[in-house]
C-alpha cells in the first residue's frame, strides 16, 4: 500500500527547481532579509487594547494607540519577554535598550512617528543555521517596535492609483512587532526561502507568534543586490516590499537580481529604492527612493523608560526557551526516522507524541507512518503516546489490519476510549482467526463446485497447466474473498483470507480434489 503524501499545513509545496533560479555565470546573489513579526500578546505594545486579527475595523483603539494629545505609552512586559525569547532562539546577545521615535508621515500612523528601537536594540549579533546544517545566516539585530494601522484602497484594483477612497483601520496600530534583520549572508533564493521557513518554525515553536505570511503576522522584505562571483563588495541594493508568500519571495528575488545584472551589462546601475513584489507576475516595480536613517530624525522617546534586563531576567528567558525545531528534528533522525518525515512531524508539533509512543514500546517506523499519513488533522491532541503505542502494537502484531488501524485512529481523535474498546465497538476485535475460519468453512460448504476448482488449481501439476491454473486460482480467491467481505461488511483482512484459503486448499485431501 502506498499512502498518499498528506498536505502539510504550514509549508508550501515544493517550489520551482533551484536551476530555474540560478543566476548567469559570473554573478553572485547577495540578499539580506528584514522580517517583521507580530507578537501574539493579548494586548498592544503601549496600551491595553486587544491585539486581535480580524475584528471589526477601529474597535480595538484608545487615545494612546490613536496618538491623541496627552496620552502616554506604558510598555507591555510580555512583549518584551517575547522579544527576548526571539533573541535567544536566534543566538543573540540581549542588551540594555532604548525606545526611539522614528519620524515619518503615514496616514495609518496617527502619531506621525513610530516607536521603535534604533541604536540600542534589545537583541544583536545572533545567527540562524539553515536546515541544510551547512549554512549559517548572521542576525544583525532583532528589535521591538509598534505596528502601524492598515490602509485599504477602495476601488477596482485595490491599489492607490485608481482608488476612490482610502479606508484606515487602527486596530493594528500599536500591535507589538519584532523586526529581525539578517546580515547580507543569503546567496540564493533557496536559502532565502529556507531562512524564512526555519524562522517561521522557530517562532511557532517558542509560541510568540503564529507567523502567518498570508495574514500579515509575518512580513518579509528582501534587500537584493548582485556582485561578480568571488568579490566581497556590497553593491547598491533594492528593498523588495510586500512579499507575502514563500513563492513570491523566490520569484521576486530572482527577478530583481536579473534586473540588476541586465543594468550592469548595459553599463548602467540600479538606484537604491524600494520595490513592490507583484504576487501575480513575480515581477517587481519601483516604489519610493529609499530614505537613509538620517531622514527619520530618530531620538529617544522621552515618554518611555529604558529597558535594562538583569542577568536573572535573561537567565529566566533562557530557562523558558523550549527545544528548537532543528534540535527536535535531529532527535527524530537519530531514532532512525527519515529527514523528510522528521520535517513533517516537527512541523505539525507531533514529535512529542511520536517519541512517547516509541518509548512506550511502539515500532518506530509504523508509528511514524501512521502519524505522517493519518494524523494530518487538528484534533489529534487527545491522543496520548501510550494509547498510540497500544494501537500501533495491535497493527504491528496483525490483530488489526492497516485499514482497521486507520479507522480506530480516526475515532481516537474523537473520544478517549482505548484502541481495544474502539476496535471492539467497530467489531474488529471479533474478527480473530477463529471466526474467520468458521465463516470460511461455511462459505466453502455453500460453494462446493468453486471450492473443488480452487483446490485443483492449487494442486501442483505439470508446468504446462500452471498458467491457466494460476489464473483460475486468482479468480476464485477473488470470488471467496468477495463472499467473506460481503458477510463481514468489509471487516476481514484480505491478506489473511488469502492466506487461509491457500492453507485450506493444501490440506484438503487430493483424492477429493481429483
Ligand atoms: Zn490602544
Ligand atoms: Mn520596521
Amino acid at each position: 500500500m502506498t499512502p498518499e503524501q498528506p498536505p502539510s499545513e504550514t509549508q508550501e509545496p515544493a517550489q520551482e527547481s533551484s536551476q530555474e533560479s540560478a543566476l548567469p555565470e559570473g554573478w553572485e546573489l547577495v540578499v539580506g532579509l528584514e522580517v517583521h513579526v507580530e507578537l501574539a500578546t493579548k494586548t498592544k505594545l503601549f496600551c491595553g487594547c486587544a491585539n486581535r486579527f480580524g475584528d471589526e475595523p477601529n474597535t480595538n483603539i484608545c487615545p494612546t494607540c490613536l496618538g491623541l494629545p496627552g496620552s502616554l505609552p506604558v510598555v507591555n512586559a510580555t512583549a518584551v519577554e517575547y522579544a527576548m525569547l526571539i533573541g535567544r532562539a536566534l543566538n543573540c546577545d540581549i542588551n540594555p535598550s532604548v525606545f526611539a521615535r522614528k519620524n515619518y508621515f503615514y496616514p495609518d500612523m496617527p502619531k506621525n512617528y513610530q516607536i521603535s528601537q534604533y541604536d540600542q536594540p534589545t537583541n544583536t549579533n545572533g545567527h540562524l543555521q539553515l536546515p541544510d546544517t551547512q549554512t549559517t545566516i548572521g542576525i544583525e539585530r532583532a528589535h521591538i517596535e509598534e505596528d502601524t494601522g492598515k490602509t485599504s484602497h477602495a476601488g477596482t484594483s485595490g491599489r492607490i492609483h485608481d482608488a476612490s477612497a482610502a479606508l484606515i483601520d487602527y486596530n493594528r496600530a500599536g500591535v507589538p512587532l519584532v523586526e529581525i534583520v539578517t546580515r547580507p549572508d543569503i546567496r540564493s533564493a533557496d536559502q532565502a526561502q529556507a531562512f524564512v521557513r526555519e524562522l517561521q518554525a522557530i517562532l511557532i515553536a517558542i509560541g510568540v507568534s503564529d507567523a502567518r505570511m498570508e495574514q500579515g503576522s509575518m512580513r518579509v522584505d528582501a534587500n537584493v543586490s548582485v556582485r561578480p562571483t568571488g568579490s566581497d563588495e556590497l553593491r547598491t541594493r533594492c528593498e523588495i516590499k510586500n512579499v507575502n508568500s514563500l513563492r513570491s519571495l523566490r520569484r521576486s528575488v530572482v527577478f530583481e537580481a536579473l534586473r540588476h545584472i541586465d543594468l550592469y551589462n548595459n553599463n548602467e546601475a540600479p538606484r537604491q529604492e524600494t520595490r513592490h513584489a507583484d504576487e501575480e507576475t513575480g515581477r517587481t516595480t519601483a516604489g519610493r527612493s529609499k530614505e537613509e536613517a538620517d531622514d527619520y530624525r530618530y531620538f529617544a522617546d522621552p515618554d518611555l523608560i529604558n529597558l535594562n534586563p538583569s542577568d536573572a531576567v535573561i537567565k529566566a528567558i533562557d530557562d523558558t526557551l523550549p527545544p528548537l525545531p532543528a534540535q527536535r528534528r535531529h532527535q527524530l533522525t537519530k531514532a532512525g526516522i527519515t529527514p523528510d518525515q522528521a520535517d513533517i512531524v516537527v512541523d505539525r508539533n507531533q514529535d512529542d507524541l511520536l517519541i512517547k509512543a516509541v518509548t512506550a514500546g511502539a515500532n518506530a517506523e509504523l508509528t511514524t507512518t501512521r502519524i505522517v499519513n493519518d494524523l494530518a488533522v487538528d484534533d489529534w491532541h487527545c491522543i496520548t503516546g501510550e494509547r498510540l503505542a497500544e494501537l500501533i502494537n495491535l497493527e504491528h502484531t496483525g490483530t488489526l489490519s492497516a485499514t482497521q488501524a486507520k479507522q480506530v485512529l480516526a475515532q481516537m481523535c474523537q473520544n478517549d476510549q482505548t484502541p481495544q474498546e474502539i476496535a471492539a465497538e467497530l467489531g474488529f476485535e471479533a474478527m480473530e482467526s477463529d471466526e474467520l475460519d468458521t465463516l470460511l468453512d461455511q462459505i466453502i460448504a455453500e460453494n462446493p463446485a468453486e471450492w473443488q476448482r480452487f483446490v485443483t488449481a492449487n494442486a501442483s501439476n505439470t508446468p504446462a497447466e500452471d498458467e491457466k491454473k494460476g489464473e483460475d486460482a486468482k479468480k476464485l480467491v477473488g470470488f471467496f474473498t468477495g463472499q467473506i467481505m460481503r458477510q463481514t461488511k468489509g471487516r476481514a483482512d484480505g491478506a489473511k483470507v488469502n492466506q487461509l484459503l491457500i492453507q485450506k486448499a493444501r490440506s484438503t485431501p487430493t483424492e477429493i480434489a481429483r
Side-chain angles (χ1 to χ4, degrees):
M1 205 176 308
T2 349
E4 279 176 19
Q5 190 64 22
S8 171
E9 271 138 50
T10 54
Q11 290 191 355
E12 292 181 32
Q15 310 295 322
E16 290 105 277
S17 77
S18 319
Q19 261 168 356
E20 274 173 70
S21 46
L23 298 193
E25 184 109 28
W27 290 99
E28 183 174 62
L29 182 65
V30 179
V31 174
L33 298 177
E34 292 173 23
V35 183
H36 285 87
V37 177
E38 279 182 1
L39 301 181
T41 51
K42 291 199 178 68
T43 55
K44 294 186 181 181
L45 185 52
F46 298 118
C47 62
C49 291
N51 169 19
R52 211 162 38 221
F53 180 81
D55 280 4
E56 277 293 298
N58 297 310
T59 52
N60 301 325
I61 51 174
C62 75
T64 300
C65 55
L66 288 179
L68 300 187
S71 62
L72 286 171
V74 177
V75 72
N76 179 335
T78 308
V80 176
E81 265 168 45
Y82 283 6
M84 291 191 287
L85 267 173
I86 293 175
R88 283 317 225 200
L90 298 175
N91 307 292
C92 290
D93 301 326
I94 296 179
N95 315 290
S97 57
V98 176
F99 284 109
R101 292 186 182 180
K102 182 180 183 181
N103 297 281
Y104 61 103
F105 172 78
Y106 236 71
D108 52 20
M109 196 180 58
K111 296 192 297 290
N112 277 344
Y113 61 83
Q114 178 186 21
I115 303 177
S116 181
Q117 296 176 326
Y118 178 47
D119 49 0
Q120 296 184 68
T122 296
N123 306 296
T124 57
N125 200 27
H127 62 267
L128 172 60
Q129 194 179 55
L130 300 187
D132 67 9
T133 68
Q134 311 288 312
T135 316
T136 300
I137 307 299
I139 307 288
E140 199 172 292
R141 56 191 281 150
H143 65 257
I144 307 170
E145 62 184 25
E146 59 178 344
D147 209 345
T148 61
K150 194 172 164 53
T151 312
S152 316
H153 298 290
T156 43
S157 72
R159 307 215 38 182
I160 194 165
H161 313 288
D162 54 1
S164 53
L167 306 172
I168 303 178
D169 177 7
Y170 288 116
N171 282 354
R172 202 179 68 180
V175 161
L177 298 176
V178 164
E179 179 176 343
I180 298 151
V181 183
T182 77
R183 298 223 159 85
D185 290 346
I186 295 167
R187 292 288 167 271
S188 69
D190 277 337
Q191 287 183 359
Q193 276 191 323
F195 177 88
V196 172
R197 229 181 218 190
E198 189 65 4
L199 179 61
Q200 211 168 20
I202 290 173
L203 295 168
I204 292 168
I206 64 178
V208 298
S209 175
D210 59 11
R212 290 197 183 147
M213 283 182 95
E214 73 287 358
Q215 286 191 357
S217 57
M218 179 164 168
R219 305 195 287 270
V220 179
D221 303 331
N223 286 294
V224 178
S225 64
V226 295
R227 67 186 174 197
T229 309
S231 139
D232 57 7
E233 68 182 311
L234 289 175
R235 293 195 173 185
T236 304
R237 61 175 200 264
C238 289
E239 183 182 359
I240 310 173
K241 295 273 191 192
N242 304 340
V243 180
N244 44 24
S245 69
L246 289 174
R247 175 168 176 264
S248 177
L249 175 63
R250 163 185 295 278
R251 297 208 301 172
S252 58
V253 162
V254 173
F255 177 88
E256 189 59 16
L258 294 176
R259 192 181 70 86
H260 286 208
I261 293 169
D262 240 31
L263 286 168
Y264 290 126
N265 285 340
N266 287 315
N267 289 318
E268 294 173 65
R271 299 189 311 148
Q272 183 168 336
E273 63 190 4
T274 63
R275 297 185 62 90
H276 293 281
D278 187 315
E279 179 84 44
E280 298 286 303
T281 61
R283 302 168 65 91
T284 68
T285 52
R288 64 195 151 100
S289 64
K290 181 70 175 165
E291 294 87 349
E292 294 296 334
D294 287 352
D295 297 329
Y296 292 120
R297 292 295 187 269
Y298 282 99
F299 63 89
D301 193 312
D303 293 339
L304 287 159
I305 53 160
N306 299 342
L307 302 176
N308 197 357
S310 66
D311 289 349
V313 166
I314 295 174
K315 187 179 178 303
I317 292 292
D318 286 339
D319 289 345
T320 44
L321 199 65
L324 298 181
Q327 219 179 317
R328 290 160 53 192
R329 284 192 295 260
H330 180 67
Q331 201 191 353
L332 294 185
T333 49
K334 232 174 37 190
I337 287 146
T338 68
D340 283 353
Q341 287 180 318
D343 245 12
I344 296 172
V345 173
V346 171
D347 208 49
R348 294 206 212 124
N349 223 357
Q350 293 170 323
D351 45 326
D352 199 39
L353 177 68
L354 173 57
I355 286 165
K356 282 190 175 138
V358 172
T359 309
N363 174 274
E365 199 182 331
L366 189 56
T367 311
T368 309
T369 304
R370 282 292 150 264
I371 287 181
V372 168
N373 295 333
D374 304 297
L375 270 189
V377 292
D378 292 331
D379 49 6
W380 58 270
H381 289 91
C382 63
I383 300 178
T384 64
E386 291 71 29
R387 287 278 164 86
L388 184 59
E390 281 168 39
L391 174 75
I392 298 299
N393 286 337
L394 290 175
E395 182 181 349
H396 199 235
T397 54
T399 310
L400 293 179
S401 70
T403 316
Q404 290 172 334
K406 288 178 199 179
Q407 281 174 262
V408 173
L409 186 60
Q411 204 137 316
M412 283 166 73
C413 296
Q414 318 294 332
N415 57 45
D416 63 350
Q417 286 175 291
T418 68
Q420 284 89 345
E421 284 166 351
I422 296 169
E425 215 172 83
L426 292 172
F428 294 159
E429 220 177 30
M431 226 35 252
E432 293 286 354
S433 301
D434 282 357
E435 197 202 343
L436 197 58
D437 205 61
T438 317
L439 196 57
L440 203 50
D441 284 342
Q442 190 190 319
I443 289 168
I444 288 169
E446 285 164 6
N447 302 280
E450 283 80 3
W451 182 245
Q452 286 294 347
R453 268 171 57 209
F454 184 68
V455 173
T456 314
N458 269 286
S460 64
N461 218 312
T462 62
E465 283 179 316
D466 276 2
E467 202 179 324
K468 192 174 164 290
K469 281 187 170 177
E471 258 173 53
D472 205 26
K474 233 185 272 170
K475 257 188 244 161
L476 287 158
V477 166
F479 169 78
F480 285 110
T481 310
Q483 299 278 322
I484 291 268
M485 289 303 180
R486 239 191 314 279
Q487 296 209 18
T488 61
K489 298 194 172 64
R491 285 190 291 125
D493 181 353
K496 215 174 207 172
V497 173
N498 196 345
Q499 194 190 334
L500 263 177
L501 278 170
I502 291 168
Q503 225 172 47
K504 282 180 186 296
R506 295 219 171 111
S507 61
T508 302
T510 43
E511 58 270 21
I512 298 174
R514 286 180 187 156

